[in-house]
mmCIF file of all heavy atoms in Angstrom:
data_model
loop_
_atom_site.group_PDB
_atom_site.id
_atom_site.type_symbol
_atom_site.label_atom_id
_atom_site.label_comp_id
_atom_site.label_asym_id
_atom_site.label_seq_id
_atom_site.Cartn_x
_atom_site.Cartn_y
_atom_site.Cartn_z
ATOM 1 N N GLY A 707 -0.288 -5.143 -2.524
ATOM 2 C CA GLY A 707 -1.428 -5.571 -1.746
ATOM 3 C C GLY A 707 -0.985 -6.490 -0.631
ATOM 4 O O GLY A 707 0.196 -6.806 -0.481
ATOM 5 N N GLY A 710 1.142 -9.289 -1.636
ATOM 6 C CA GLY A 710 2.395 -9.002 -2.299
ATOM 7 C C GLY A 710 2.301 -8.720 -3.781
ATOM 8 O O GLY A 710 3.310 -8.781 -4.483
ATOM 9 N N GLU A 726 -7.252 14.256 -9.231
ATOM 10 C CA GLU A 726 -6.988 15.701 -9.189
ATOM 11 C C GLU A 726 -8.060 16.465 -9.963
ATOM 12 O O GLU A 726 -8.586 17.481 -9.491
ATOM 13 C CB GLU A 726 -5.607 15.998 -9.759
ATOM 14 C CG GLU A 726 -5.231 17.467 -9.661
ATOM 15 C CD GLU A 726 -3.824 17.740 -10.147
ATOM 16 O OE1 GLU A 726 -3.332 16.985 -10.999
ATOM 17 O OE2 GLU A 726 -3.233 18.727 -9.676
ATOM 18 N N LEU A 731 -13.571 19.515 -9.747
ATOM 19 C CA LEU A 731 -14.940 19.625 -10.254
ATOM 20 C C LEU A 731 -15.969 19.462 -9.144
ATOM 21 O O LEU A 731 -17.018 20.119 -9.155
ATOM 22 C CB LEU A 731 -15.168 18.562 -11.336
ATOM 23 C CG LEU A 731 -14.425 18.787 -12.650
ATOM 24 C CD1 LEU A 731 -14.551 17.563 -13.549
ATOM 25 C CD2 LEU A 731 -14.956 20.026 -13.369
ATOM 26 N N ASP A 775 -4.340 -5.090 -17.757
ATOM 27 C CA ASP A 775 -4.463 -4.441 -19.062
ATOM 28 C C ASP A 775 -5.255 -3.145 -18.961
ATOM 29 O O ASP A 775 -6.310 -3.089 -18.329
ATOM 30 C CB ASP A 775 -5.153 -5.375 -20.065
ATOM 31 C CG ASP A 775 -4.337 -6.622 -20.336
ATOM 32 O OD1 ASP A 775 -3.089 -6.527 -20.304
ATOM 33 O OD2 ASP A 775 -4.934 -7.690 -20.572
ATOM 34 N N ASN A 787 -15.320 4.881 -9.812
ATOM 35 C CA ASN A 787 -15.068 4.651 -8.387
ATOM 36 C C ASN A 787 -14.339 5.833 -7.770
ATOM 37 O O ASN A 787 -14.673 6.267 -6.655
ATOM 38 C CB ASN A 787 -14.268 3.363 -8.206
ATOM 39 C CG ASN A 787 -14.144 2.953 -6.762
ATOM 40 O OD1 ASN A 787 -13.183 3.310 -6.091
ATOM 41 N ND2 ASN A 787 -15.119 2.202 -6.270
ATOM 42 N N ARG A 842 -31.367 2.228 -14.419
ATOM 43 C CA ARG A 842 -31.655 0.788 -14.514
ATOM 44 C C ARG A 842 -31.697 0.157 -13.126
ATOM 45 O O ARG A 842 -32.593 -0.635 -12.823
ATOM 46 C CB ARG A 842 -30.600 0.094 -15.372
ATOM 47 C CG ARG A 842 -30.675 0.420 -16.855
ATOM 48 C CD ARG A 842 -29.830 -0.547 -17.666
ATOM 49 N NE ARG A 842 -28.417 -0.528 -17.290
ATOM 50 C CZ ARG A 842 -27.519 0.297 -17.822
ATOM 51 N NH1 ARG A 842 -27.880 1.176 -18.746
ATOM 52 N NH2 ARG A 842 -26.253 0.248 -17.431
ATOM 53 N N GLY A 866 -31.335 6.449 -4.976
ATOM 54 C CA GLY A 866 -30.762 7.603 -4.292
ATOM 55 C C GLY A 866 -30.124 8.564 -5.277
ATOM 56 O O GLY A 866 -30.265 9.791 -5.159
ATOM 57 N N LEU A 879 -29.648 23.705 -9.274
ATOM 58 C CA LEU A 879 -28.457 23.814 -8.440
ATOM 59 C C LEU A 879 -27.494 22.683 -8.774
ATOM 60 O O LEU A 879 -27.927 21.589 -9.164
ATOM 61 C CB LEU A 879 -28.817 23.695 -6.953
ATOM 62 C CG LEU A 879 -29.622 24.811 -6.306
ATOM 63 C CD1 LEU A 879 -30.047 24.386 -4.904
ATOM 64 C CD2 LEU A 879 -28.795 26.095 -6.245
ATOM 65 N N ALA A 890 -26.517 21.397 5.977
ATOM 66 C CA ALA A 890 -26.761 22.499 6.907
ATOM 67 C C ALA A 890 -28.134 22.386 7.570
ATOM 68 O O ALA A 890 -28.327 22.840 8.701
ATOM 69 C CB ALA A 890 -26.655 23.834 6.166
ATOM 70 N N LEU A 918 -40.492 7.887 -2.583
ATOM 71 C CA LEU A 918 -39.968 7.015 -1.531
ATOM 72 C C LEU A 918 -41.030 6.079 -0.958
ATOM 73 O O LEU A 918 -40.717 4.952 -0.567
ATOM 74 C CB LEU A 918 -39.375 7.857 -0.403
ATOM 75 C CG LEU A 918 -38.155 8.721 -0.753
ATOM 76 C CD1 LEU A 918 -37.764 9.589 0.438
ATOM 77 C CD2 LEU A 918 -36.983 7.850 -1.184
ATOM 78 N N ARG A 935 -39.925 14.148 -12.060
ATOM 79 C CA ARG A 935 -39.286 15.361 -12.612
ATOM 80 C C ARG A 935 -40.301 16.495 -12.759
ATOM 81 O O ARG A 935 -39.983 17.671 -12.506
ATOM 82 C CB ARG A 935 -38.675 15.036 -13.958
ATOM 83 C CG ARG A 935 -37.831 16.142 -14.563
ATOM 84 C CD ARG A 935 -37.230 15.709 -15.903
ATOM 85 N NE ARG A 935 -36.492 14.461 -15.744
ATOM 86 C CZ ARG A 935 -36.794 13.324 -16.377
ATOM 87 N NH1 ARG A 935 -37.831 13.267 -17.183
ATOM 88 N NH2 ARG A 935 -36.051 12.259 -16.185
#
Side-chain angles (χ1 to χ4, degrees):
E726 184 176 28
L731 290 171
D775 296 327
N787 188 268
R842 289 194 300 272
L879 292 171
L918 296 175
R935 187 179 306 119

